[in-house]
Amino acid sequence: MKIGLRHIRYFLVLAEDLNFRRASEHLHISQPALTRTIQHLEAELQVTLFDRSQNFVRLTDAGRAFREGGQRVLNGMEATIDLTRRVSIGEAGALRVGYTDFAIADALPELLKRFHQEHPGITVRPHHGVTATQIQELKDDKLDIGFVTGPVRQPGFHSRVVQTDRPICIVPEGHRLASRKSVALGDLADEDFVHGPAEAWAHFYDYLFPLCRKAGFQPRIVQEAFNSVGILGLVSCGMGITILTESIYDFGTGGLVPLPIRDVADVMVTEAVWASENLRLPTQHFVDFLESQDSG
Amino acid sequence: MKIGLRHIRYFLVLAEDLNFRRASEHLHISQPALTRTIQHLEAELQVTLFDRSQNFVRLTDAGRAFREGGQRVLNGMEATIDLTRRVSIGEAGALRVGYTDFAIADALPELLKRFHQEHPGITVRPHHGVTATQIQELKDDKLDIGFVTGPVRQPGFHSRVVQTDRPICIVPEGHRLASRKSVALGDLADEDFVHGPAEAWAHFYDYLFPLCRKAGFQPRIVQEAFNSVGILGLVSCGMGITILTESIYDFGTGGLVPLPIRDVADVMVTEAVWASENLRLPTQHFVDFLESQDSG
DNA sequence: TTTCATGATACCTATTATGCATCAGAAACT
DNA sequence: AGTTTCTGATGCATAATAGGTATCATGAAA
């Protein structure tokens, strides 16, 4: 015979009542059934859990230890059943979200915050990754939703624009262009450029460099930084100028001058991407949530 | 039907093998029995735990949640059974130990340390209390072992001397007696005395004052401190002198002069006390341990 | 003493779990 | 194409387990 949850349930009620008859009534079984269940439990444990006499029933030290542990086991069982049910209807679970430097700088934080308010049981697990990596991870089912630099046209995937970024030119205070209201791309032909992190920002430069070429020049890169803070730092100490997006510039401040680029109409879009079939429930909820963000 | 540990065990093996036939072999049951147990489990949960097809079996998200929780429940059950068995044979459990200021100052710490080495599964729960309180708590089964100021001759209790203390006179540096090698009790008749915490040290003064009376004087108390550190502090700033035990004096140092009292033969004993019947197993182990400390 | 309450036991029934034989569908091999 | 060989599911009979009723033994209270 094996110990089951039934034994624990009966034991705990008896440990509470310390009276076989009353406990058996609370359990809606007969008193002999309870007596035997406890006997079987004690036999299986090879431990006496109750001191019995005709006058009183009381827990032994071992019985007290079993009561604590048994209560924990029962609570754990209940919690597990509840969680499992909630996961099965999508009220709980994990959502694996990929993001780029650009997504995390603007749309994503607010989006995830609102999603969490609507679905507090769903844990968001963020994974940093460039666009190409995220697309691959979506295909490998390592990711549920990607936030990537678009536009994305992958067969088997849906996408939705969540953020548009305009390029902006950043120069240090005192720079020859610092007093301008705006610049044209061609004005920057002879400048030294500080470059963003090469791999992570590949998509951004895929967007930017063709624009420069159209304006008749190839940016002269003199420094490469590891992240956006690094770029702005290098610019502010006069190593050069840079072009990045408004949302990323919002993070930095001191000693820098932002200049709109008036002759660039193209925007860089960040899109949410997800598989078009067999969505996990948390993913479906996130997609529904994204769709609902139009009206809201 | 109710979910039992059997369902969890079967589920976990299947979740490992992801193959009904192999899992059923590992469980030493037939494949149909496993199939139906999982069906019952899913029916009871109202949750699909496995995606089945003829080609593959794999966990759903809910199944993964149930696997984690179920594993925890099973581990908890195993740990509980083990702990209960260990408690029942006295390998684990709690020992409620009472102690006085005098016991904690000398014999007790080393004793408990050695006991813990021999019985690492037994948690010692210390309770501070004066002798009278401890005796009452022993009678009320609120304490397993008391360390009290003796001698104790309580019917229904056994005791054993664990520590003997000689009284010692403490005077501040520069005191008229400070240059002596030792004093007689009678030399202190005209001194001002700093008194220990009245209630906690009642037994000590029950031992000390009769000795003074025999020496022909009644100590003149000018200050009462809350604990031994307070006593020594008051003495060192010249409020008076005091008499306490060597072990307690060992705690303090600066600015004080200890003087043996040469004409006092009586010692103050600290004893371990325990009920003589119906000992809990941890208590029995401690008593056996105490007895073994002779030879060691 | 009698009465009442306790927990334990005997015996039978109901429920549940299991094994065996078999089915149905898909893949792999001939 | 046909056959074999996996897969998991199902029907039915059996075994194991849990439960109910009646009753006993013992100690406390009336």
Side-chain angles (χ1 to χ4, degrees):
Chain A
M1 207 233 8
K2 274 279 187 178
I3 297 173
L5 295 179
R6 189 181 59 92
H7 297 90
I8 301 179
R9 275 192 294 269
Y10 290 10
F11 165 84
L12 287 177
V13 172
L14 178 57
E16 186 76 16
D17 288 342
L18 295 176
N19 178 307
F20 279 75
R21 176 158 279 105
R22 271 197 297 279
S24 72
E25 286 166 8
H26 288 153
L27 288 162
H28 309 295
I29 60 170
S30 66
Q31 170 262 314
L34 177 59
T35 290
R36 260 181 321 217
T37 300
I38 298 298
Q39 284 173 337
H40 288 160
L41 176 58
E42 290 181 321
E44 184 65 21
L45 285 168
Q46 301 180 286
V47 167
T48 300
L49 297 170
F50 292 99
D51 284 330
R52 295 117 147 123
S53 89
Q54 270 78 3
N55 305 324
F56 56 82
V57 174
R58 65 179 178 205
L59 283 167
T60 62
D61 283 357
R64 268 184 287 276
F66 191 74
R67 179 178 53 179
E68 289 184 30
Q71 187 65 63
R72 263 198 305 277
V73 167
L74 238 52
N75 292 343
M77 189 68 236
E78 201 177 324
T80 297
I81 292 173
D82 184 60
L83 177 66
T84 304
R85 290 213 176 103
R86 288 157 51 79
V87 168
S88 81
I89 58 175
E91 270 189 17
L95 183 71
R96 301 161 299 177
V97 176
Y99 64 91
T100 63
D101 288 350
F102 299 97
I104 196 67
D106 188 23
L108 196 55
E110 177 65 18
L111 219 47
L112 293 183
K113 185 180 148 200
R114 284 207 293 268
F115 180 68
H116 180 68
Q117 283 167 355
E118 284 188 27
H119 301 275
I122 297 182
T123 306
V124 171
R125 283 213 267 268
H127 297 255
H128 182 271
V130 302
T131 298
T133 305
Q134 285 188 48
I135 297 289
Q136 187 59 45
E137 288 175 336
L138 282 166
K139 288 177 178 166
D140 296 346
D141 191 28
K142 291 181 178 172
L143 219 52
D144 296 309
I145 297 268
F147 280 79
V148 304
T149 301
V152 176
R153 288 291 172 268
Q154 285 281 339
F157 288 88
H158 287 154
S159 66
R160 177 192 171 82
V161 174
V162 295
Q163 172 181 336
T164 61
D165 286 303
R166 300 182 57 79
I168 190 175
C169 175
I170 311 289
V171 303
E173 285 177 355
H175 188 274
R176 70 175 178 92
L177 296 171
S179 55
R180 299 265 200 106
K181 282 253 164 59
S182 68
V183 294
L185 210 46
D187 298 336
L188 311 176
D190 297 324
E191 295 290 332
D192 291 337
F193 274 80
V194 177
H195 193 278
E199 190 183 346
W201 287 31
H203 266 75
F204 176 63
Y205 292 114
D206 286 349
Y207 150 81
L208 180 64
F209 288 173
L211 294 175
C212 296
R213 216 172 302 127
K214 234 190 293 183
F217 72 102
Q218 169 95 5
R220 186 168 67 252
I221 313 293
V222 295
Q223 289 285 337
E224 177 171 327
F226 285 115
N227 54 38
S228 57
V229 175
I231 299 171
L232 297 175
L234 291 172
V235 171
S236 77
C237 50
M239 300 303 300
I241 71 169
T242 195
I243 294 177
L244 37 68
T245 63
E246 288 175 0
S247 56
I248 286 193
Y249 171 68
D250 285 345
F251 275 131
T253 42
L256 297 170
V257 178
L259 297 171
I261 302 173
R262 60 176 172 270
D263 58 345
V264 172
D266 291 308
V267 293
M268 198 186 94
V269 301
T270 297
E271 295 184 334
V273 195
W274 61 92
S276 41
E277 284 179 349
N278 294 325
L279 294 187
R280 297 169 64 237
L281 277 166
T283 315
Q284 188 58 56
H285 282 148
F286 193 83
V287 170
D288 294 344
F289 163 79
L290 270 184
E291 238 101 72
S292 77
Q293 292 306 103
D294 267 343
S295 36
Chain B
M1 207 235 5
K2 273 280 188 177
I3 297 173
L5 295 179
R6 189 180 59 90
H7 296 89
I8 301 180
R9 275 192 294 268
Y10 289 10
F11 166 84
L12 287 176
V13 172
L14 178 58
E16 187 75 15
D17 289 341
L18 294 177
N19 178 307
F20 279 76
R21 189 183 47 79
R22 271 199 298 280
S24 72
E25 285 168 7
H26 288 152
L27 288 163
H28 309 295
I29 59 171
S30 68
Q31 170 263 313
L34 177 59
T35 289
R36 263 194 294 242
T37 299
I38 299 297
Q39 285 173 337
H40 287 159
L41 176 58
E42 291 182 320
E44 183 66 19
L45 286 168
Q46 301 181 285
V47 167
T48 301
L49 297 171
F50 293 99
D51 284 330
R52 295 117 146 125
S53 89
Q54 270 78 2
N55 305 325
F56 55 81
V57 174
R58 65 179 177 204
L59 282 168
T60 61
D61 283 358
R64 268 184 286 275
F66 191 74
R67 179 178 53 178
E68 289 185 30
Q71 187 65 64
R72 262 199 304 278
V73 167
L74 237 52
N75 292 344
M77 189 69 237
E78 202 176 322
T80 297
I81 291 173
D82 184 60
L83 177 66
T84 304
R85 290 212 176 104
R86 288 157 50 78
V87 168
S88 82
I89 59 175
E91 269 188 18
L95 183 71
R96 300 162 297 178
V97 176
Y99 64 92
T100 62
D101 287 350
F102 298 99
I104 198 66
D106 188 22
L108 196 55
E110 177 64 19
L111 219 47
L112 293 184
K113 185 179 146 200
R114 283 206 294 268
F115 179 69
H116 180 69
Q117 283 167 354
E118 285 189 27
H119 300 276
I122 297 182
T123 306
V124 171
R125 283 213 268 269
H127 298 255
H128 182 271
V130 301
T131 298
T133 305
Q134 286 189 49
I135 297 291
Q136 187 58 45
E137 288 175 337
L138 282 167
K139 288 177 179 167
D140 296 346
D141 191 29
K142 292 181 179 173
L143 219 53
D144 295 310
I145 296 269
F147 280 80
V148 304
T149 300
V152 176
R153 287 290 171 271
Q154 285 280 341
F157 289 87
H158 288 154
S159 67
R160 177 191 170 83
V161 173
V162 294
Q163 173 182 337
T164 58
D165 286 303
R166 300 183 56 80
I168 190 175
C169 175
I170 311 290
V171 303
E173 285 178 354
H175 188 273
R176 70 176 179 91
L177 296 171
S179 55
R180 298 264 201 107
K181 283 253 166 58
S182 69
V183 294
L185 211 46
D187 297 335
L188 310 176
D190 297 323
E191 294 292 330
D192 290 337
F193 274 80
V194 177
H195 193 276
E199 191 182 344
W201 287 30
H203 265 74
F204 176 63
Y205 292 115
D206 286 350
Y207 150 82
L208 180 65
F209 288 172
L211 295 175
C212 295
R213 216 169 303 127
K214 234 191 289 179
F217 72 101
Q218 168 95 5
R220 185 167 67 252
I221 313 295
V222 295
Q223 290 284 339
E224 177 171 327
F226 285 115
N227 54 39
S228 58
V229 175
I231 299 171
L232 297 175
L234 291 171
V235 171
S236 77
C237 49
M239 300 302 301
I241 70 170
T242 195
I243 294 177
L244 37 68
T245 63
E246 287 175 1
S247 56
I248 285 193
Y249 171 68
D250 285 344
F251 276 131
T253 41
L256 297 170
V257 178
L259 298 170
I261 303 175
R262 62 177 171 268
D263 58 344
V264 173
D266 292 307
V267 292
M268 198 185 94
V269 300
T270 297
E271 295 185 332
V273 194
W274 61 90
S276 39
E277 285 178 351
N278 295 324
L279 293 188
R280 296 170 64 237
L281 278 166
T283 314
Q284 188 59 56
H285 283 148
F286 192 83
V287 170
D288 293 345
F289 163 78
L290 270 184
E291 238 100 71
S292 77
Q293 293 305 104
D294 267 343
S295 34

